[in-house]
Amino acid sequence: MSELEQQPELLLSLEALIFASDTPMSVARLQQALGNTYSSADIRQYLQQLAVLQHGRSIELVETAQGFRFQVRAKYQPIITQAWPERPTRLSPSLLEILAVIAYHQPVTRADIEQIRGVSNNSQVLRTLFDWNWIKESGFRELPGKPALLVTTPQFLNAFGLNSLDQLPPLQDAKEAFMALNVPALSA
């Protein structure tokens, strides 16, 4: 088979692998699944072609910090919400504020979060963020009591469809942007 004849089959294989995975697929994982026959540059090129093939469809191929996944286009979220009302998770304003403080100011301590927000933290909100694996401890600040430093995780980026923290909206628009985000069903 020539390279040209293999391409449609390779695109279908990539599509099947990403669709069947319950987590985003990294380029390295896709390479491995395809027997390490293709370079990472080749895989990325084919993924771009696969993304183009989704044009005009209800789903799109997106890259997040954890890899590539298919998701329903935002345009179709209302019908999905109507069909499965229990699926979407509404994030409370306090959860969004705490998450935004961590995302924009990381690494931060719990005391830093309280100082920035001007109110006490709800420990249940922080526990929820830990349970969803959206935040984690990453070292300790050299202060009495050695408070833990909190940072976001790749799962946080994945949940919001971001590839890196650089894709966060400008800080002055953060609260409105986080409030407007419609987070897909949580995989955590």
Side-chain angles (χ1 to χ4, degrees):
M1 245 188 219
S2 73
E3 173 100 12
L4 198 56
E5 293 171 311
Q6 288 177 343
Q7 187 176 348
E9 186 59 34
L10 176 61
L11 291 175
L12 291 173
S13 295
L14 287 169
E15 183 178 55
L17 286 166
I18 295 167
F19 182 78
S21 178
D22 54 354
T23 61
M25 294 280 291
S26 68
V27 171
R29 201 162 151 215
L30 289 167
Q31 273 183 285
Q32 184 181 20
L34 295 170
N36 294 312
T37 309
Y38 302 93
S39 71
S40 59
D42 288 340
I43 297 288
R44 284 195 171 279
Q45 180 183 359
Y46 291 124
L47 287 168
Q48 286 176 342
Q49 291 176 30
L50 186 57
V52 168
L53 290 173
Q54 304 308 315
H55 182 72
R57 303 204 50 209
S58 62
I59 60 169
E60 61 187 339
L61 179 65
V62 296
E63 182 179 11
T64 67
Q66 294 180 302
F68 290 84
R69 72 176 186 201
F70 285 109
Q71 69 182 27
V72 174
R73 291 188 190 277
K75 173 181 177 181
Y76 299 101
Q77 260 333 108
I79 195 167
I80 299 300
T81 302
Q82 183 180 357
W84 291 280
E86 70 282 356
R87 265 185 151 174
T89 299
R90 284 274 179 230
L91 305 178
S92 72
S94 63
L95 184 141
L96 289 170
E97 280 182 12
I98 290 171
L99 191 56
V101 168
I102 296 169
Y104 282 94
H105 299 283
Q106 59 188 304
V108 295
T109 65
R110 292 169 195 244
D112 294 335
I113 297 167
E114 288 181 356
Q115 182 180 3
I116 291 168
R117 291 182 65 221
V119 295
S120 295
N121 292 326
N122 178 332
S123 60
Q124 185 55 43
V125 169
L126 284 169
R127 176 60 25 223
T128 298
L129 293 173
F130 277 111
D131 290 347
W132 289 347
N133 201 20
W134 284 4
I135 63 170
K136 67 178 183 177
E137 291 182 354
S138 179
F140 301 91
R141 184 159 293 153
E142 291 299 322
L143 292 173
K146 297 209 182 247
L149 294 169
L150 304 176
V151 297
T152 57
T153 65
Q155 288 80 1
F156 157 76
L157 295 171
N158 185 51
F160 286 90
L162 302 171
N163 197 22
S164 74
L165 291 171
D166 297 336
Q167 293 179 314
L168 287 171
L171 188 54
Q172 67 271 16
D173 301 331
K175 187 172 181 183
E176 295 80 18
F178 273 112
M179 297 298 270
L181 282 173
N182 189 0
V183 179
L186 298 174
S187 57

